[in-house]
Amino acid sequence: MKYSFFPGCSLESTAWDFNRSTRAVCGALDIELEDIPDWVCCGSTPAHASNASLALALPVVNLQKAELMGAPVMTACASCYSRLRTANHKVRHQPAERERAEKVTGRPYDGGVEVVHLLDVLVNRVGLDAIRKRVRRPLHGLRVASYYGCLLLRPPQIVAFDVPEHPTCMDSILAAAGASPVDWPYKTECCGAGLSITNADVVCRLGHRLLSMARQAGANCLAVACPMCQVNLDLRQADIHKSYGDLPDTPVLYVTQLLGLALGLAPDALGLDALSVSPTLLLRRGEVAPGVGGGATS
Amino acid sequence: MTLNTQRLVPSSGANGKEPCGAVLICGAGIAGIQASLDLAESGFKVYLLEPSLAIGGKMAMLDKTFPTGDCAMCIISPKLVAVGRNENIEIITLAEVEKISGEAGNFEVVIRQRPRYVDSSRCNACGDCAEACPVTLPSEFDRGLGGRKAIFRPYPQAIPNVFGIVKSERRAPCKAACPAGVNVQGYVALLAKGKIKEAYDVIRERCPLPAVCGRICQHPCETRCNRKDLDEPVSARDLKRFAADYVYAHREEIQDVPPQPAAPQKEKVAVIGGGPAGLTAAVDLRMLGYAVTVFDANPLLGGMLRYGIPRYRLPADVLDHEIQYLLDMGIEAKTSTRLTDPAKLLKSSAAADGNGSEHGEFNAVFAAVGAWLSGKLGIPGEDAKDVWPGLKFLHEVNTGARPTIGPNVLVIGGGDVAMDAARCARRLPGVKSVHLACLERREEMPAHSWEATEALEEGVIFHTSIGPTKILTENEKVTGVAFRACTRVFDEAGKFAPRFDDAQVSALAADTVIVTIGQGVDAAALAPVATGPGGRILADRETLATNVSGIFAGGDGVLGPVSLVDAMAHGHRAAQAIHRYLRGETQPANAPATSTSEEKLAPNPQPDAKPEPRRPMPQAAVGERLAGFREIDLGYSQEEAIAEARRCLSCGLCSECRLCEKACKPGAICHDMAEKTRTLQVGAVLLTPGFEEFDATKRGEFGYGFAPNVVTNVQFERILSASGPTAGHVVRPSDGKTPKRLAFIQCVGSRDTGCDNDYCSSVCCMAATKEAILAKEHEPDLDITIFFLDLRAFGKDFDRYCERAKSQLGVRYIRSFISRTYEMPGTKNLRVVYANDAVQQVEEEFDMVVLSLGLEPSGSVQEQAERLGVVLNRWGFSETSELCPLDTSRPGIFVGGAFQEPKDIPDTVMQASAAAARAMTLLAPARGTCVRTKTYPPERDVTDEPPRVGVFVCHCGSNIASVVDVRAVVERTRELPYVAFADHNLYTCADDTQNLIKDTIAAYRLNRVIVASCTPRTHEPIFRDTLRDAGLNPYLLEMANIRDQCSWVHSQNPQEATAKAIDLVRMAVSRVARSVPLVDETAPVRGGALVVGGGVAGMTAALAMADQGFPVHLVEKQRALGGTAREIHTTLDGQDVGAFLDQTIARVTDNPRITVHLGSRVAKVDGHVGSFTSRLLCDGDGAGTEIKHGVIVVATGATEQKPQTYGYGSDARVLTQLELSGRIGRDDLDLPTNATVVMIQCVEQRNQERPYCSRVCCTTAVKNALLLRARFPAARIMVLYRDMRTYGFRETAYRRAREEGVLFVRYEPERPPQLDLDGHLRLRLYEPAVGRDLLVRPDLLVLAAPVVPRADRGELSELLRVPLNADGFFLEAHMKLRPVDFASEGLFLCGTAHAPKFISETISQANAVAGRAASILSREEIPVSSQIAWVDPDKCISCMTCVHVCPYMAPHVGLNNKAEVQGTVCMGCGSCTSDCPARAITLRNYASTQIVAAIDGLLTGRAQEPDLEPVFPEQVGVAQPRWHVSQPAPAKGTP
């Protein structure tokens, strides 16, 4: 199983732990990743909020580069995934958009490069059976609320590899890893996304709403697959506590970090020390991975 | 493809050719049922096609109906029975149209009918089959909330009242995947129900070694199991083992005798090889009646099972037991016999003759010799003493010899045999280490992964990706093996093509080497049979015949080493081939093909099933395992097995376990039925396929599909229904608790452009209101909220109904669209977010949410419509036009019901009758040509005979007899007076028993009959018919319902149930002895129709009747025809109403059968249905004309009430909508280009004074707004409304108006717009969305004035003695099911006289009148029931009580001043009988003497002596009995 990997900017910076854990997990599951050489930013929210040509051309440039590699493109970041898929969708279905993309990039592109998300690969290509067989340290005792966020599965005509309103792919991966996923209603609610800097109040309010519901549902941690969600819920948790003060610390881990632990990978290889809310205590209680560092807020 | 919108008048006529008098109706919901009855009752043959098992459609699923609150089942059930009974309606279930050719009047239709698997003529609906059936599937009828069996009847009242099976069109994957053809789903289903022996029997049908197979089969069935996509496959193999082990372990309780073979055949067959292939063939051949001898070279039978499979996987005693079982079937075995020449066994063969040797005694030979040669490595050192061929090693171990081998063993090979050898070696004493080396990588190893895993667990050490080059020896003793690296094993095509890297070498130390690298066949001994590569025998793939005639070969010997189940499959195939060979047949086998290509496999029918991992098979601990050769898999316990079996998803739907076949006493079940096609000749086709509900999972945000407490409105109807899955208790699916807060979310899948359903489904607002009311009635404390967009209560009395819900029952209506629900953790409550009146976001939690789903045309109809050549609109409904609402695009094919547009039941029924009328018009010349009427023998006169009662007590299979002691009932009944005969029957309603009844009536000269069985509701007509066939009056039958009222309700108390049955029969005897023959009379039909009202309704009705050949008098009080439609210039879809009106008037005046009376009114009406006499008065004509007619149609229309508010009448700029329509039509509007036009809806209506909706105003406003927008593009148009009621497809015009810039502003009735008139029109209105008043200065103010009934309606109402409703509209007989009939027979109504409606609806209703009236007008005489009230003139005191109480106005005081009941009008309800103070009235067949006699019979409880003289003090107006008993007692009959 080989993929052209598009890490994206977040994974190169704030979400380096997502990057590291993704690569580690893929390695453990025999998923070969080859980075797209010389990739550029997908444009993310800023591009598509300001310039339609740019929002289309940036992902297309990356896809054109990937086209030469001959393997499907995989990405772990929900936002990158959304932008790449959207670009493909437009190029495939709207001739004018295709013309625009080709004009801006100066190269032909027919939308033919397949783009898949890490979760899609794990559930539908590697398969839960294979994951189950590779689990070395089942995540017993972890009650995880899987948090998918807005972008991963919506709009369904562009991205959905799972039920858009009630996704279960992350839950099944975590169940295969021995954790107990909790059913909760805010799986696809918004975390405040890009308002993290500009309107932190909104992010705190939404974050608090999400964390309280996860706690109410019996979760003791959250699993995410989006750098933005992770930052808003993990990094902002101190602020959330300051404003509301009614919740215990709730570690927010990338799904790859949790899966990596289950596969027996070392905490170091998963970047666990990058987390603000340290999962150490939680993991120690579950005897999943002793001795995890980090912990800015705990 | 669109319709020609200019087509204003429906086309008809059958193009010169004689039309056919039969009609095909597709879809048997309420629309199809109504149309069938109308057509059949007026002389047409009907084929009623239904895709499901039973007729009834969606209405049968409803609990109650709005706004009358009738029980839906109670009102539809009589119609179902009527359809079932009508001999001119042929119900064809499970069928759909395949092809249609021909043209209007003469169609040829090919239909495809799927098998029911039950012979309808034999099924008695006793339900024994469903009781026996082990498969429970989600019930479609209960929308998945309840379960049903694989053989079922959708609901108890279903017609046809027979059971049926719906099988998956594809095969259950497990079953399809089993090479031996074992019915996997069948035995798993039986185990799930704890029917272990039955499961075992199913296994044995195709598997002669169940316990063996249950241990070592490689289970391809599990690989295909659909459950794998959900969690893990069902452990089919382990379950098989459980079934066999259980039966063997309980030999004392469970009889397990081998089945009897078929009648002996004279031929003998030899089987060479006692392995699985040979044994399977031997068993099959033995069962076919052949004498079979099995030869085996080994001392014991079993082949590889015994000598190859290690004992820890397959214990010897299991094998011994199963082989002994086969030998007990009469199979002879000759062991330790190695045959050299199979040809010598043959009685006659070229080979045998040629050899000149002696002839054998066998007619055929099956060679299943196996593959016993171990493959060789071909490397140096292989011949060393301590190198063991794998099979030899296993053979030694399995025969109990403990081969002496060294302590360090190395196994070479990666297959199952390698694992077996390695694991056996681990168990041998003295062995210290076992290593295993193979070419493949771990994941490529050919051994089953679980075998490899178990080997690893037991301490076998694997060395992968190495190939041996040399066996190292020292002094002839093995010391180890040298290896080189294997870089790949398989090439790109997956073929075995290993490559090695000689540079990478290694060595493993060992003192014993076991080589397990494949098996070969030693077939050389089988000469003269030809062999091929690897020594394999050459045999035909299909027939398994070898080159020697009479010799067949199969199993490992042909295929090389294969699995047990493949070997068994070969055995089955060989037996079939040999059988055919010996019988001289040539056609190939039709054994179940094991095709596992995906398209032939059934999908998972329960994709929502909860994940539930498989029960692990308990295994011995590793330590215990290695201690010896004891079996390591321990087997399921009974509980584990049942729990595991319950995980089965029943993919084939029916499991084909055939228990139903065994349970069915009448032998009605036939699993081999095949699909049929039929060709029907019909003159017209009606499409009434109904609708499907929107798929709620497409709107996943509401939680349907994963949140259990979110249900659909159809599911909620089932929850409310007393016969539903919760027996009418309002409970939440998640925990069965009664909810406290319930929310309805409206418009799910309606008015929704997101899922392309941008039309309104018309019924949901009212349906939700009804469900809310019902839920409140069930649970008064329930808080109910309905979240809606516009409350569309546009029908007759609908607003009142909603008002009642709101103000009396406290149902909360919140105008807010809900975007999603959140299921709360723990409670599973649903949190809903909505905007309140102050436009604030509110979060509220509900215990349960009901989604009001939109109506969609059904998916399967789409293809059918295409085949019929009918154009569909963009949503898939039938395309029609507003002025031709009943005609599809293809002449001769008509449409009715929700397939034309979403509609409620009355509109559906109306349209169905109307579509029927369209067919009648087309086929009028052929009326009566395809129907038949039954003839009966002349009736025997029994007035002079003393009663001789025959009693037939029914077992109803075991339904009655298992509880009620029917013999005791018969014995006790024989003691009763008058009883001349009594006996019991298995099924009294069966054909043969009915004949028996006829014969008994003749033989015993019976003149009264009692059937003690089930309910008269369904069965009385059958037995009455039997009496008529036997020459007896049908009213001399009585039924005692000893099933429903005895065996069913008192099933726990058989003694009391029997006593009650005896009582009921005694009551029936007492009563029937006093029954008298009643003769149904007839009344003549004279003349045609009188239609009152010359508008669109009256003219359409007149034409629809006249075109069928009936004379019509059309009375119009104005001087011209046309009515209100003159003011309407165009329809919403742009059709020219004026042109339509002109054409219609011309057709009416040109029609020779229609007499138009202009300027006239009806002055007097006398008579009854079939023969009315009326006097018409024309202006200025004193005397008037008298006309005779058979029916009356009220089509007097309605009018627009001119408003008294908003300056209407005082300011020329204020108009009504109707006036605006006229002005637009005449192009008579003078407005500035940038004019402001304001429309106010609901003016002087939907208020205290007029609490109803005029239905048409919203659409008219939208239509006029769009017309104005087209004419004055710069105008500002504003519509002030309360609820926009643009139902159905009108919704799209409403949206278009908004898109084109028409402003819609809602107002609350408490804050209506205020008008200031000071030269300018100044309108002040409150805008709720912005929360403040707006000021508008309209140039034109248009008022939606109410539609009100005509002022002179009271006069006509009194004249015709027909009622009006509270709003002054004429009141139909029944608001749901008789929307165009008055309660009195022969009177009909249509158009706006009934209620406000659109032209299209008026046209439908007017046609419906013609459809209904035809059932009277098409006859020369109409039947009049004799079971009616009769007034004894001697007792009548002329008090008029009967006249007052009768709801049908049947009694009147006649010429002699005594009351008389008109037979044609009386409905036999008995109201007058009970109210008559002089007791002068008797309801025939319910005379007090009969009822008192029945009660006496019950209370006295003893056999009375027969009366010597007839005791009939009561006059009933018919011939009185004149008998007297001359004999002491009538002879008692004994069977």
Side-chain angles (χ1 to χ4, degrees), chain B residues 451-756:
Chain B
E451 270 235 60
T453 307
E454 285 176 9
L456 286 169
E457 281 171 8
E458 291 172 8
V460 178
I461 299 154
F462 288 6
H463 305 272
T464 56
S465 296
I466 51 173
T469 51
K470 187 181 178 193
I471 294 181
L472 308 171
T473 54
E474 227 170 71
N475 304 327
E476 293 181 5
K477 286 190 74 95
V478 171
T479 57
V481 179
F483 292 93
R484 56 181 168 168
C486 177
T487 53
R488 74 152 205 209
V489 183
F490 303 101
D491 64 11
E492 282 74 19
K495 273 170 67 180
F496 182 75
R499 272 196 205 146
F500 299 97
D501 179 358
D502 290 325
Q504 295 184 51
V505 294
S506 56
L508 290 169
D511 39 39
T512 302
V513 174
I514 303 173
V515 182
T516 62
I517 54 150
Q519 292 160 253
V521 182
D522 178 19
L526 278 180
V529 177
T531 54
R536 295 177 194 175
I537 309 170
L538 290 178
D540 184 275
R541 274 172 60 100
E542 290 304 316
T543 65
L544 303 183
T546 64
N547 61 321
V548 181
S549 172
I551 300 183
F552 297 77
D556 287 359
V558 170
L559 298 169
V562 291
S563 70
L564 162 66
V565 70
D566 286 316
M568 290 201 302
H570 253 199
H572 285 308
R573 192 182 301 178
Q576 283 301 317
I578 291 170
H579 180 54
R580 277 196 311 280
Y581 165 77
L582 293 175
R583 303 268 68 78
E585 294 162 14
T586 48
Q587 72 271 29
N590 52 356
T594 54
S595 168
T596 49
S597 57
E598 290 294 338
E599 69 273 11
K600 289 192 178 143
L601 299 182
N604 173 10
Q606 305 181 55
D608 302 332
K610 265 206 318 235
E612 189 190 341
R614 56 164 41 182
R615 302 281 174 298
M617 164 68 85
Q619 269 191 342
V622 175
E624 289 169 36
R625 284 190 221 166
L626 292 178
F629 285 83
R630 288 259 301 281
E631 189 172 20
I632 62 171
D633 285 339
L634 304 177
Y636 280 139
S637 70
Q638 189 170 341
E639 292 72 28
E640 285 168 331
I642 291 175
E644 176 63 21
R646 284 197 179 141
R647 296 176 62 236
C648 174
L649 297 164
S650 307
C651 303
L653 305 181
C654 168
S655 77
E656 293 183 326
C657 70
R658 298 190 175 227
L659 274 199
C660 49
E661 238 173 39
K662 294 180 188 113
C664 179
K665 294 186 193 80
I669 293 161
C670 173
H671 277 278
D672 305 319
M673 274 187 189
E675 188 174 287
K676 283 188 292 196
T677 52
R678 258 178 86 177
T679 305
L680 306 174
Q681 307 293 333
V682 295
V685 178
L686 264 53
L687 300 182
T688 53
F691 65 92
E692 275 174 8
E693 1 17 315
F694 173 75
D695 174 6
T697 57
K698 284 194 204 155
R699 277 280 171 245
E701 62 265 39
F702 296 122
Y704 182 78
F706 52 87
N709 294 325
V710 177
V711 299
T712 71
N713 48 352
V714 182
Q715 287 181 318
F716 196 61
E717 290 275 356
R718 298 310 302 149
I719 288 176
L720 290 170
S721 172
S723 64
T726 61
H729 298 294
V730 181
V731 293
R732 317 201 305 162
S734 73
D735 52 12
K737 285 191 186 140
T738 306
K740 291 193 176 62
R741 297 153 302 177
L742 179 73
F744 285 84
I745 298 179
Q746 298 300 104
C747 297
V748 178
S750 287
R751 303 182 67 183
D752 180 357
T753 49
C755 56
D756 291 332

Side-chain angles (χ1 to χ4, degrees), chain B residues 247-264:
Chain B
V247 171
Y248 302 155
H250 296 77
R251 264 171 252 187
E252 269 131 51
E253 305 105 86
I254 302 174
Q255 269 218 327
D256 180 26
V257 281
Q260 253 341 88

Side-chain angles (χ1 to χ4, degrees), chain A residues 165-166 185-186 189 209 217, chain B residues 706 820 822-823 825 831 843:
Chain A
E165 303 293 349
H166 190 247
Y186 287 170
E189 291 298 285
R209 206 168 111 89
Chain B
F706 52 87
R820 69 174 303 157
Y822 299 98
E823 188 191 48
R831 181 179 286 175
E843 287 196 356

